[in-house]
Amino acid sequence: MSSPEDPTPVVAPTDFIRDQVAGELAAGKHPRIVTRFPPEPNGYLHIGHAKSICLNFGIAQENHGTCNLRMDDTNPTREETEYVDSIRADVDWLIRGWADSVLGLKEEGDTSGAGISAVKGQGTRLEPFYASDYFEQLYQFAVRLIEKGRAYVCDLTPEQMIEMRGTPDRPGTDSPFRSRGVAENLDLFARMRAGEFTDGARVLRAKIDMNSPNIHLRDPALYRIRHAEHHRSGAKWCVYPMYDYAHPVSDYLEGVTHSICTLEFEVHRPFYDWVLRALELPRALPRQIEFARLNLGYTVMSKRKLLQLVEERLVTGWSDPRMPTVCGLRRRGVRPEAIRNFARSIGVTKYNGLTEVNVLENAIRDDLNRVALRRLAVLRPLKVVLTNIPSGQLLELDAINNPEDPAAGTRRMPFTSELWIEQEDFMETPPPKYFRLRPGGEVRLKYACIIRCDEVVKDALGQVTELRCTADLETRTGGVNSAKKVKGTIHWVSASHAQPLMVRMVDRLFTEEEPEKNGRDFKTVLNPHSLDQLSAFGEPALGQARVEERYQFERIGYFSLDPEDAAAGRTVFNRTMSMKDTWAKAAKK
Ligand code: ATP
Ligand code: MG
């Protein structure tokens, strides 16, 4: 059941992965489903990771299983605690309240690192698993591979190793160290661990097949020497397991049943299976399944490119509201429900393609439409003076907070003789089908009455500075002329009550759907208007705006307070999303 608060449907979608899981469950292959989401803490999570999170936690939830959040932190030189913290916060934000019940959390006091996850209920702190907790176990398993004659210490230089590995159509050449005896390998591996050798001097390699058509099976490295501080284990280790070795073992240790990853790992799967079989393990083995990664229009996604945007100050940081990062989307005002609905709607396939950004944007609009409080705000103000209303007279009008949610109630809006309206809602010589205000024309003010423009006041440069209008108060709700119809309705704010607002018109970061098409440098197609800032006027209720709340500035779009600015004592609204897709309209012109 979904609650009215959270519309994320719990009816399972179907796709090839879910079909496989269902089939295996029906066949009694697993007592319980365990998935995992294994980010490397070398950057912030982005919307592509969110797809993977929704898939892994979703499958666990639908099957009453668990999903482990695991920091894939086996590369000491690239990982930082800052990233670990941000990943924890982002995953927590994304799944909290939706998939609490499937968090694969460690048993309290479990320091073995090898324990199967326990299910804990709501309110539990999101305590991730760390691949670095398995360093000792990974090392012992590597020793076991040496003992079984399935791994050897190789002294070739990295360059020699690459040269001798061959190419897809040229077989590799056996390393001269391939035939080293078990005792010598054990001794050398122990001395690697003990810190006797310099970085790169030796590696531990799997002994598989230098002629394999799959290059990943040509005796890949299992361990390398890196005299580097690890963000958790400090200087304890100077040998570190390779990702392709650590990953299957970590999955196994956590009792993972389905190790779901993106398509580029398909060619690594034979090695994944080789590692687990070669270890001759007692429990059931995890299975790797690949799906197509998310590529989204009008953005770049990989952590490396996002880092470049941050480091070159092309954005204000990882949480810049234009960034496709989870923290950027959050800061922009996107709710986790929208991201989950988006992930669900795009589904899971085996084919890499480009997802149109308006699929995400529409998911955000749909979500905000349900919850956003309606407010009136004028972004580019033009003064209107109602000449038949005495200055100083105050009328209070009722306005509905959210037509989608009767429980949101109503508020009172002050209406006086001087108002702000939007500059673009007046045209002196309008084109056909312009239904807003024009000289001598009429328009309805939302929640108020119909006004007529009697006079246009201009400055010495010919700029319109003020409109002098007459209000027909009998066209208000309950008035004798309330049924009177005009074609246009516009928003407004009482000038003497207006709340000054800083508004950031957050927009797509790039002007091209595929910023890197045909090798183009993405920096050449940055959208110069993606963060335009305006001084606007809002109705008084916006003076009490709260960070947790979402607002629809009627006819303009969805806005919310910037949480980082608010924390620093500044009041800035970010446009989370425009009302309509203005890009599609522009493209048609
Ligand atoms: P990037 O390529 O963006 O730097 P990554 O794959 O190196 O990301 P990891 O931290 O290794 O990032 O990813 C954690 C998980 O998220 C992996 O299982 C990976 O397959 C998945 N993932 C990463 N990017 C995407 C994406 N664009 N779409 C779907 N899943 C993704
Ligand atoms: Mg990766």
Side-chain angles (χ1 to χ4, degrees):
M1 281 292 293
S2 58
S3 71
E5 268 293 285
D6 181 358
T8 314
V10 180
V11 178
T14 53
D15 52 61
F16 74 98
I17 301 181
R18 287 173 162 96
D19 288 348
Q20 179 176 335
V21 170
E24 291 173 7
L25 273 174
K29 194 173 167 213
H30 315 283
R32 231 170 105 259
I33 299 299
V34 181
T35 57
R36 88 286 172 267
F37 172 67
E40 181 175 2
N42 62 351
Y44 283 65
L45 297 183
H46 52 59
I47 182 84
H49 295 117
K51 174 181 177 178
S52 175
I53 292 167
C54 292
L55 178 64
N56 280 294
F57 281 91
I59 288 176
Q61 185 192 48
E62 292 150 24
N63 296 293
H64 310 288
T66 50
C67 178
N68 295 352
L69 169 62
R70 180 202 310 145
M71 299 296 163
D72 219 328
D73 58 350
T74 53
N75 187 343
T77 53
R78 291 206 314 214
E79 294 147 8
E80 289 173 30
T81 310
E82 174 198 347
Y83 297 132
V84 171
D85 293 342
S86 75
I87 291 170
R88 286 170 70 163
D90 288 350
V91 174
D92 194 79
W93 177 76
L94 205 52
I95 67 164
R96 200 46 87 162
W98 170 57
D100 283 352
S101 60
V102 301
L103 287 177
L105 295 166
K106 286 189 231 186
E107 292 270 27
E108 218 131 356
D110 171 16
T111 49
S112 73
I116 305 292
S117 55
V119 191
K120 287 187 185 162
Q122 304 211 344
T124 330
R125 199 168 117 91
L126 185 60
E127 189 60 52
F129 291 76
Y130 293 89
S132 55
D133 280 344
Y134 313 141
F135 279 159
E136 184 61 40
Q137 182 73 78
L138 284 157
Y139 180 86
Q140 294 307 334
F141 277 178
V143 168
R144 196 190 290 185
L145 289 176
I146 296 174
E147 286 166 351
K148 290 177 188 290
R150 319 224 37 187
Y152 61 98
V153 173
C154 181
D155 306 353
L156 291 177
T157 65
E159 298 74 36
Q160 288 169 323
M161 263 184 71
I162 290 169
E163 171 58 28
M164 293 176 74
R165 195 172 54 197
T167 60
D169 31 47
R170 180 164 59 84
T173 317
D174 283 2
S175 159
F177 306 100
R178 203 172 198 261
S179 49
R180 253 183 186 145
V182 170
E184 188 185 356
N185 281 321
L186 286 174
D187 173 61
L188 283 172
F189 191 44
R191 288 162 60 195
M192 280 169 65
R193 176 181 185 165
E196 274 190 38
F197 312 116
T198 55
D199 286 6
R202 295 191 153 90
V203 292
L204 183 72
R205 296 177 74 175
K207 195 189 233 178
I208 310 178
D209 179 5
M210 289 306 289
N211 294 322
S212 170
N214 183 341
I215 245 170
H216 299 280
L217 292 180
R218 294 186 189 170
D219 292 9
L222 300 171
Y223 263 89
R224 60 184 159 177
I225 302 171
R226 276 273 186 291
H227 291 270
E229 288 266 330
H230 186 273
H231 73 106
R232 291 185 77 241
S233 57
K236 183 169 181 217
W237 292 89
C238 62
V239 288
Y240 289 95
M242 303 300 292
Y243 172 88
D244 274 352
Y245 167 68
H247 204 85
V249 173
S250 304
D251 283 345
Y252 174 81
L253 292 174
E254 290 175 12
V256 167
T257 54
H258 297 83
S259 182
I260 301 166
C261 61
T262 43
L263 280 180
E264 61 277 18
F265 288 98
E266 197 161 10
V267 285
H268 299 240
R269 183 170 6 115
F271 181 60
Y272 182 101
D273 292 337
W274 181 92
V275 169
L276 295 173
R277 293 211 190 94
L279 285 167
E280 298 178 67
L281 298 159
R283 286 191 277 117
L285 302 182
R287 286 280 299 276
Q288 179 180 307
I289 309 175
E290 308 86 13
F291 72 102
R293 69 196 294 114
L294 171 68
N295 294 308
L296 194 62
Y298 292 94
T299 194
V300 293
M301 195 92 88
S302 88
K303 282 185 276 202
R304 190 173 50 77
K305 290 168 196 162
L306 297 177
L307 180 66
Q308 195 181 341
L309 287 170
V310 172
E311 285 187 336
E312 296 183 23
R313 297 183 189 274
L314 301 168
V315 294
T316 58
W318 285 99
S319 67
D320 184 299
R322 297 165 294 179
M323 287 281 267
T325 49
V326 173
C327 58
L329 291 162
R330 176 170 66 226
R331 181 171 178 194
R332 182 178 176 148
V334 174
R335 303 194 324 143
E337 288 85 345
I339 296 177
R340 298 192 308 242
N341 288 339
F342 165 69
R344 165 175 299 263
S345 71
I346 56 175
V348 181
T349 68
K350 272 272 185 196
Y351 307 98
N352 280 320
L354 185 69
T355 299
E356 288 187 26
V357 73
N358 61 29
V359 180
L360 172 63
E361 294 175 346
N362 285 333
I364 295 170
R365 285 188 189 101
D366 287 349
D367 176 59
L368 293 176
N369 181 45
R370 288 186 314 101
V371 298
L373 294 175
R374 273 52 174 177
R375 294 291 183 257
L376 300 190
V378 174
L379 299 186
R380 295 173 185 85
L382 171 63
K383 177 71 76 65
V384 164
V385 177
L386 300 173
T387 52
N388 63 331
I389 296 193
S391 82
Q393 179 175 317
L394 170 69
L395 288 171
E396 290 203 302
L397 310 173
D398 281 322
I400 295 168
N401 280 332
N402 183 357
E404 306 287 322
D405 177 13
T410 60
R411 68 190 183 282
R412 309 218 84 188
M413 288 222 324
F415 181 81
T416 57
S417 63
E418 289 200 9
L419 313 174
W420 296 115
I421 67 165
E422 208 70 67
Q423 284 169 20
E424 62 170 40
D425 285 339
F426 170 79
M427 279 185 93
E428 209 169 2
T429 41
K433 295 201 180 156
Y434 183 87
F435 298 126
R436 292 167 274 167
L437 204 54
R438 69 176 76 200
E442 290 185 319
V443 80
R444 182 173 277 280
L445 299 179
K446 188 88 199 253
Y447 304 119
C449 61
I450 292 171
I451 60 168
R452 190 187 62 232
C453 176
D454 303 318
E455 191 190 339
V456 180
V457 182
K458 295 182 185 175
D459 63 14
L461 297 170
Q463 292 286 329
V464 178
T465 54
E466 186 180 301
L467 303 176
R468 300 181 70 79
C469 303
T470 326
D472 181 356
L473 293 176
E474 289 305 331
T475 55
R476 275 185 297 163
T477 312
V480 293
N481 285 332
S482 65
K484 181 172 173 182
K485 292 256 183 311
V486 286
K487 281 200 165 150
T489 299
I490 63 172
H491 57 274
W492 55 276
V493 167
S494 166
S496 51
H497 298 83
Q499 177 74 34
L501 310 174
M502 282 310 284
V503 175
R504 252 184 227 132
M505 302 299 280
V506 179
D507 205 347
R508 296 177 185 173
L509 189 50
F510 295 95
T511 53
E512 295 289 329
E513 180 169 38
E514 294 178 74
E516 297 182 286
K517 196 169 184 172
N518 302 327
R520 173 171 53 203
D521 177 356
F522 63 73
K523 284 184 282 182
T524 62
V525 288
L526 283 165
N527 175 7
H529 297 294
S530 56
L531 205 62
D532 286 353
Q533 193 152 309
L534 298 174
S535 301
F537 287 124
E539 62 166 283
L542 284 168
Q544 284 98 52
R546 292 186 302 126
V547 168
E548 315 74 58
E549 207 61 83
R550 298 291 174 269
Y551 303 95
Q552 184 195 86
F553 293 179
E554 292 199 44
R555 300 180 59 231
I556 302 176
Y558 296 96
F559 292 79
S560 59
L561 279 178
D562 185 302
E564 289 182 26
D565 281 308
R570 287 184 300 268
T571 306
V572 183
F573 282 88
N574 288 324
R575 178 172 69 178
T576 312
M577 198 43 67
S578 57
M579 222 47 189
K580 295 193 194 95
D581 182 355
T582 50
W583 287 73
K585 216 163 91 192
K588 271 192 211 130
K589 273 185 192 158

